[in-house]
Amino acid sequence: MSQPQVIYEKGELLYEGKAKRLYKVVGHDDLIWQEFKDSLTAFNAQKKGSFEDKGAINREICGILYTSLEKAGVPTHRVALQSVNAEVTRRLSMVKLELVVRNVLAGSTAKKFAIEEGRALSRPLVEFYYKDDALADPFVSDDQAIMIGAAQSQVELNELKQFALRVNEVLCAVMVRAGLRLIDFKIEVGRDSQGRLVLGDEISPDTCRLWDEKSGEKLDKDRFRRDLGGVREAYMDVLQRLKQTQVG
Ligand code: UDP
């Protein structure tokens, strides 16, 4: 994504989420102005916090990752950077599922099966969660996803899984270069006007688990969820490492 060629004007607020504010773009119904906020939430927003420049740090991390994904042929919603914490993106018809990919067991799935965190999986696991804040985004099976209308068919679910696995391949390669292990992550996807799947939302330490490859130190939102301290330092560390992978 290059610096803006076209001048875009921020329109009225469409929606304020936990980590972003979405605005209209004046004169462009097909675009959205997305601002990354400094707030941090966990456990379906029951736990709240924030830190200075968090929006800008996450926007920059996401920018580096989306550039790598675009280079690898994964389409993303980005159109033009507007400021340190804002960008114009394509308006997509969002799939009502969160796609989670796991390389190593941690978090909710480790807990569900009473397996200690850190067990590497022989192949990546893809899971679907139904996007509904009131229901706290429940896990859904493939058949449940179709029953609830979040997907039309098993063919569509398979397409979503393949997309998520491709994102995983690219991200794993980037993280290895940064000395990080990609434990798991969540993505949100939508369809453009041609029906093509496009990566939306963000990928950042808010939405990934990242462990230092040598020490195993957690460098993601678990520092906030689990009161481990050093949240801003961890996010900055991830950003610096990713920036270094871009040099040379
Ligand atoms: N995740 C996310 N948003 C959510 C739920 C999960 O970004 O609403 C990310 C989370 O940061 C982790 C991965 O998806 O990297 C898997 O999360 P998990 O299901 O283990 O849930 P958690 O233990 O974080 O509640």
Side-chain angles (χ1 to χ4, degrees):
M1 190 171 57
S2 54
Q3 290 297 317
Q5 312 279 309
V6 184
I7 307 290
Y8 294 110
E9 191 187 335
K10 187 161 87 175
E12 69 184 74
L13 181 70
L14 284 171
Y15 168 79
E16 176 153 4
K18 286 171 272 196
K20 272 181 235 81
R21 278 186 210 95
L22 307 188
Y23 298 86
K24 284 187 176 178
V25 177
V26 176
H28 297 273
D29 288 345
D30 55 336
L31 301 176
I32 290 183
W33 184 293
Q34 304 217 10
E35 250 174 41
F36 287 62
K37 302 199 298 185
D38 287 346
S39 55
L40 199 60
T41 65
F43 313 120
N44 208 24
Q46 287 171 51
K47 180 168 178 164
K48 292 191 173 76
S50 70
F51 64 82
E52 197 185 347
D53 301 328
K54 189 250 184 186
I57 294 168
N58 268 10
R59 209 282 316 143
E60 197 170 358
I61 291 172
C62 183
I64 294 170
L65 299 177
Y66 278 26
T67 297
S68 299
L69 285 158
E70 286 159 6
K71 279 188 189 153
V74 177
T76 82
H77 66 171
R78 297 188 313 164
V79 174
L81 184 63
Q82 299 302 313
S83 73
V84 288
N85 72 331
E87 60 193 17
V88 165
T89 64
R90 279 191 281 163
R91 190 191 278 266
L92 303 173
S93 167
M94 296 306 288
V95 173
K96 275 204 79 175
L97 295 170
E98 293 188 343
L99 280 49
V100 168
V101 180
R102 300 179 191 276
N103 297 304
V104 173
L105 273 194
S108 65
T109 303
K111 198 170 165 195
K112 183 174 183 174
F113 297 107
I115 296 171
E116 204 182 329
E117 279 197 342
R119 182 187 291 186
L121 299 170
S122 54
R123 64 190 182 108
L125 188 64
V126 183
E127 296 171 352
F128 297 122
Y129 291 82
Y130 182 52
K131 275 207 279 191
D132 188 318
D133 279 343
L135 299 175
D137 301 341
F139 173 90
V140 286
S141 69
D142 287 21
D143 286 352
Q144 286 175 342
I146 296 168
M147 179 273 291
I148 202 79
Q152 299 308 307
S153 62
Q154 188 62 51
V155 171
E156 184 180 8
L157 290 171
N158 292 345
E159 185 194 2
L160 293 171
K161 284 183 198 179
Q162 287 314 311
F163 188 95
L165 289 171
R166 178 70 187 131
V167 170
N168 186 45
E169 277 174 11
V170 178
L171 290 184
C172 279
V174 174
M175 296 306 179
V176 164
R177 289 203 298 278
L180 295 165
R181 279 178 89 194
L182 179 60
I183 305 303
D184 58 29
F185 64 94
K186 181 263 312 179
I187 54 171
E188 302 195 19
V189 298
R191 293 194 185 272
D192 65 12
S193 51
Q194 279 105 56
R196 226 170 39 134
L197 271 184
V198 177
L199 183 59
D201 196 53
E202 71 176 276
I203 302 179
S204 71
D206 274 8
T207 66
C208 297
R209 285 194 170 89
L210 298 168
W211 296 357
D212 179 83
E213 69 172 355
K214 293 203 181 77
S215 67
E217 190 189 2
K218 297 183 198 316
L219 297 169
D220 55 59
K221 198 158 91 172
D222 275 346
R223 300 207 72 84
F224 171 70
R225 290 190 191 96
R226 303 178 188 189
D227 297 319
L228 300 175
V231 185
R232 186 176 194 277
E233 291 73 11
Y235 281 52
M236 279 301 293
D237 189 2
V238 170
L239 175 57
Q240 292 312 329
R241 290 177 190 227
L242 288 173
K243 276 184 174 173
Q244 274 161 23
T245 65
Q246 293 186 302
V247 182

